[in-house]
Amino acid sequence: MSEANGHDCLEQVIDGVVELGDDQPKVSVGDIQKKIGQRSFGPFLFVPAIIEISPVGGIPGVPSMLALIVALFAFQLLLGRHYFWMPRFLAHRSVSGDKLEKGLNKIRPVVRWLDKVSNKRLGWATNNSFLRFIAVLCIVLATSVPPMELLPFASTAPFAAIGLFGLGITTQDGAAIVLGLILAVGAFVLAGMGLIG
């Protein structure tokens, strides 16, 4: 899957994951990885984020599992890898295909709207050097998720930022990445408040 396929790129990615949920009772992380492809860093950020933001993210343990996936792929981007590797124990983790399909279908209109408003702009935010900074930020955001999981919907804030980073990388829209940076600051504030509380 190309990371600059045009406005339907992200919805096509989500469609592929929805098809998995429609075709099989359990969908593993490895199944989703194969469906997305091995080289598309943007979708590897966007898909876990959109799954967490959907009703599927309400399943206990799912946000932390998705955060681990994000951290793993972000670390590999930081190392300059072009093909992403996933340990077997994580690849075999699965969720209900029915819940995945229903959850993603509920959030599909949002994905469709994001596709429509995305444009190539602010190229400095999507160049390779800045992507390394985004990778570091994604790792930090991912580490903030497990303690946040104790609070309802608190982990949505870091995943919203991660999702915007994935959107910006996939569509080469630097404005989405800048908005993600703003949300990341908010996520860190929430994390800090949670630690203090």
Side-chain angles (χ1 to χ4, degrees):
M1 182 73 64
S2 168
E3 291 188 359
N5 253 1
H7 289 321
D8 292 331
C9 180
L10 288 173
E11 190 174 5
Q12 288 171 3
V13 171
I14 295 301
D15 283 344
V17 179
V18 168
E19 286 173 10
L20 288 174
D22 188 42
D23 292 342
Q24 52 202 68
K26 290 284 186 179
V27 178
S28 71
V29 174
D31 292 332
I32 295 173
Q33 182 188 20
K34 290 177 183 176
K35 196 71 175 181
I36 295 174
Q38 297 290 322
R39 296 180 295 175
S40 303
F41 180 65
F44 272 119
L45 290 181
F46 185 79
V47 170
I50 211 71
I51 290 174
E52 198 282 337
I53 293 169
S54 79
V56 180
I59 301 173
V62 168
S64 292
M65 179 184 71
L66 295 171
L68 179 58
I69 293 169
V70 167
L72 176 65
F73 287 118
F75 183 68
Q76 292 180 69
L77 175 74
L78 195 59
L79 295 179
R81 291 178 60 93
H82 299 292
Y83 292 86
F84 298 118
W85 169 83
M86 184 182 297
R88 184 173 298 179
F89 82 90
L90 188 56
H92 287 169
R93 295 291 299 272
S94 63
V95 296
S96 162
D98 183 59
K99 288 182 179 179
L100 184 65
E101 179 195 3
K102 289 180 179 177
L104 290 180
N105 275 327
K106 285 185 178 180
I107 208 163
R108 185 195 297 271
V110 176
V111 177
R112 186 177 297 123
W113 178 78
L114 289 171
D115 272 330
K116 288 180 179 178
V117 301
S118 297
N119 286 296
K120 290 184 180 181
R121 50 194 163 190
L122 303 182
W124 58 267
T126 59
N127 65 38
N128 287 334
S129 58
F130 200 75
L131 289 186
R132 297 292 176 91
F133 170 69
I134 295 299
V136 172
L137 201 52
C138 285
I139 293 170
V140 176
L141 285 166
T143 59
S144 74
V145 169
M148 282 186 173
E149 195 172 346
L150 300 173
L151 302 172
F153 305 109
S155 60
T156 298
F159 272 110
I162 291 167
L164 284 168
F165 294 148
L167 168 68
I169 294 168
T170 304
T171 61
Q172 296 183 6
D173 189 345
I177 290 178
V178 171
L179 184 56
L181 291 171
I182 296 170
L183 277 180
V185 172
F188 291 139
V189 170
L190 280 177
M193 290 172 63
L195 289 173
I196 292 172

